[in-house]
Amino acid sequence: MGGAVLDEGPTGVKAPDGAWGWAVLFGCFVITGFSYAFPKAISVFFKELIREFGIGYSDTAWISSILLAMLYGTGPLCSVCVNRFGCRPVMLVGGLFASLGMVAASFCTSIIQLYLTAGVVTGLGLALNFQPSLIMLNRYFSKRRPIANGLAAAGSPVFLCALSPMGQVLQDHYGWRGGFLILGGLLLNCCVCAALMRPLVAPESAGGPRPQQSPRRLLDLSVFRDRGFVIYAVAASIMVLGLFVPPVFVVSYAKDLGVPDTKAAFLLTILGFIDIFARPTAGFITGLKKVRPYSVYLFSFAMFFNGFTDLTGSTASNYGGLVVFCIFFGISYGMVGALQFEVLMAIVGTHKFSSAIGLVLLMEAVAVLIGPPSGGKLLDATKVYKYVFILAGAEVLTSSLVLLLGNFCIRSRSKALKPEAAASEEEKPPVDVRVDSREVEHFLKAEPEKNGEVVHTPETSV
C-alpha cells in the first residue's frame, strides 16, 4: 500500500517545543481524558439500563468492553486514515462519530442497539481522536516530549474523577437517556480539540520552494524489522494482560474483606488522585538530560514496580493494607501511563510512529479482552482474590523482564558489531588507481582547448 501524506510532519521542520504546541498539548490532554475515562465513567448508568431492559450486569458491561476494544483494535485503521488524510480531518470526523453515537444511544430500545451506538460508533470516534492526537504531540515536542507526554496522560485520571460524579448527577436529574444525550453534546468538544491540531509547515527556503515530502505507505509494516519495536510490542502486550486487572477487582476485594461499600469505592478515588500527580512527575523525571537516554530502562522499572505492587497487594488483609496498595499502585500505574508512548516514540522515531502505535494498539486489544475476563475465571474457580492479584503481578513482571533483557541484548550486540566493522575497514587493501596512457592520449585529442590549443570551429573562424 502506498500514498502521499497530506498532513505529515514535513522534512526538515524542527519541533517547536512550545508556542502552538501548548495548544496541541491541551487538546491531547482532553482527548486522552475522554478516551480512557469514558468507558469507565459510563458504568454509572448500568443499574438504570439493567432495570430498563431487564438484563444482567454482564450484558451491560459489554458496552465498556466494546468501547475499549474499538479504542485499541482499530489502531491500524486509524494509522491508514492519518497517513492518507492527515490528523486534523480524521479527528474532526472522529469527534462527530463519538457524539452521534451517544446521541443515537439515547433513543435506543434494546441492548443490542446500545452495543452498536454507544459501543461501536462512539468507540470508533474516540479511537479516531486518540491516536492522531498522540501523533501531533510527537511532532510538536522533541526536547520537552517526556513532560508533554506526562501532562497529556494526566487527562485520564482527571477526567475519570470528573466524569463519574457528573454522570451520576445527570442520571439523577435527567435519567439515562437524557444523560447520554448531554454526554453526546459534551463529546463534540473533541472537534474543538481537533481544530487545535494545526499541521506543521516547512518554511520556504530563500533559494526555492519548500522541500518535497517523500511518498509514504499507508500502513508501514517495515517497523517489524526493528528488533526494538518487536520487543516493545511483545512486552506491552504481556503487560496489558495484567495491568488493568487490579483496578477492576480492588473494590470487590475490599468488600470481600467486609469493608463498607462507600469506603471500598473510595479506594479508586485514592488511586486516581495519586495517578494525577504521578504521570506529570514521571514525565518530568524522564525529560532530564541524564535520565532520558535510559527511558527504556525506566519504563521497565515502572512495569517491575507495578507488578511487584500487585504481588504485595495480594497479601493485604484489611482496609489499611488496600489503601497502601492503591497509593503505590497509583504511582506505578502513573509511571507506566506516562512512559509507554514516550518510549515507543523514542524507539521508532517520528516518521514511523503513526503506523507503529496503530500496530501496538491492535496487539494490546487482544490482551485487553483476555486480561480481566481471565482474572474473573480464576476468581470463579478459586473464590480467592489473592490469586487474581498474583496472576496480574506475574504477567506485568514478565513484561518488564522481556523489555529489559531484550533491550540489553540489542545494545550488547550493537556494541560488539562496532569493533568488527572498524576492523573490516582497516583490513581492506588500498585501491590501486592506475592511469592508462591511451586514455590520456584520447583525452588530449578530444579536448585540446583545455590544454591551451585553439580549436577552429565555424563560429570561431568567422
Side-chain angles (χ1 to χ4, degrees), residues 47 90 155 182 187 206 221 301 305 387 406 412 437 460:
K47 285 188 178 180
V90 171
I182 294 173
L187 284 173
L221 298 178
F301 169 75
F305 185 21
Y387 298 140
S412 300
S437 60
T460 59

Side-chain angles (χ1 to χ4, degrees), residues 222-240 296-297 299-300 303 340 343-344 347-348 356 360 363-364 395-396 398-414:
S222 65
V223 292
F224 284 107
R225 298 174 186 170
D226 187 342
R227 286 173 294 178
F229 170 77
V230 173
I231 292 171
Y232 174 90
V234 172
S237 300
I238 298 173
M239 175 190 71
V240 171
V296 176
Y297 296 106
F299 183 44
S300 179
M303 291 191 292
Q340 56 179 340
V343 171
L344 179 60
I347 290 174
V348 300
V360 167
M363 295 176 67
E364 289 182 352
E395 290 166 343
V396 179
T398 302
S399 67
S400 71
L401 294 177
V402 169
L403 183 64
L404 178 65
L405 297 177
N407 187 67
F408 180 77
C409 291
I410 290 178
R411 289 176 67 91
S412 300
R413 180 177 174 82
S414 62

